[in-house]
Amino acid sequence: MMMGIHFMDDVPFKEVYIHGLVRDSHGHKMSKSKGNTVDPQALIDQYGADTSRLFMMFAAPPEMSLEWSDKGVDGANRFFRRLWRAVAEHVEQGIVKQGELSDLPEAFYALRRQTHQTLAKVTDDIGRRHTFNTAIAAVMELMNSLTKLKDQSEQARAVMQEALEMVVLMLSPIPPHICHHLWQTL
């Protein structure tokens, strides 16, 4: 590629981002000739395309090799089920229009602060750094905090509504189908 660019008068792109290899559980490069590949259709049939995408983006930074793990795909599926359940339980109690979010108790204020800090981190991780794995990890940390909120007051539900909407929007470039459905639900 570099030799070709050397002889070109007009380079057709400004940046090239080379991603790592996918390796099996023994560290070997996956290839059809070695017969150690994972059938993507079987994963899509079992978990859906979005779960497979989330796992691949979360398992390793794009420039490093990804070690394939069926347990990792299960973990991504569990995360989606937890997110789906959180949205369903929230909506079941009724959608909250975002009202006044001032004069919040410290716990709610801390959750809002974490939500907006996560948004800033995910924006930087995806937009500038291209580190999708750390962006997903930050969203997972936010979800852990959200599941600890047991208060059902109007203010708590407004904070939860804002946070769930942000989670869905932040994840949407990676698992678009699930996020689209959750966004419509919210």
Side-chain angles (χ1 to χ4, degrees):
M1 180 180 271
M2 299 314 280
M3 284 292 287
I5 290 174
H6 177 74
F7 293 107
M8 291 178 154
D9 292 328
D10 189 27
V11 179
F13 43 80
K14 293 182 193 252
E15 294 181 36
V16 175
Y17 196 80
I18 309 295
H19 62 81
L21 299 171
V22 178
R23 299 187 178 276
D24 65 14
S25 59
H26 304 293
H28 300 113
K29 176 183 152 187
M30 284 192 174
S31 71
K32 289 189 286 185
S33 63
K34 291 181 180 179
N36 63 349
T37 60
V38 175
D39 180 14
Q41 191 59 51
L43 282 173
I44 291 168
D45 292 344
Q46 184 174 359
Y47 297 107
D50 281 350
T51 300
S52 302
R53 271 191 209 104
L54 184 77
F55 165 70
M56 288 186 282
M57 301 300 271
F58 177 65
E63 70 276 2
M64 297 189 63
S65 292
L66 162 72
E67 187 171 313
W68 190 262
S69 163
D70 291 339
K71 289 181 181 179
V73 180
D74 285 336
N77 189 40
R78 281 192 309 276
F79 172 73
F80 275 141
R81 285 187 301 202
R82 192 164 50 120
L83 174 59
W84 194 280
R85 190 171 35 255
V87 169
E89 288 171 0
H90 178 75
V91 169
E92 187 177 283
Q93 297 168 2
I95 299 294
V96 177
K97 296 289 184 206
Q98 286 204 337
E100 187 60 39
L101 289 174
S102 60
D103 298 328
L104 293 173
E106 179 54 36
F108 300 164
Y109 181 74
L111 188 57
R112 276 198 87 208
R113 182 174 47 246
Q114 183 182 2
T115 300
H116 289 270
Q117 287 171 340
T118 303
L119 176 62
K121 178 171 180 26
V122 168
T123 300
D124 186 53
D125 285 351
I126 292 176
R128 183 180 65 85
R129 297 176 56 221
H130 305 295
T131 53
F132 303 100
N133 60 324
T134 58
I136 295 167
V139 172
M140 288 178 171
E141 287 176 26
L142 178 58
M143 277 303 298
N144 289 339
S145 297
L146 289 178
T147 56
K148 293 175 185 172
L149 182 65
K150 301 299 182 197
D151 193 328
Q152 294 300 318
S153 68
E154 189 73 19
Q155 280 186 320
R157 294 191 34 70
V159 169
M160 179 67 85
Q161 178 82 27
E162 177 186 45
L164 286 172
E165 287 176 359
M166 293 270 209
V167 165
V168 169
L169 289 174
M170 287 185 282
L171 283 177
S172 65
I174 299 163
H177 302 100
I178 288 174
C179 288
H180 177 75
H181 179 79
L182 292 174
W183 181 253
Q184 294 301 315
T185 303
L186 285 168

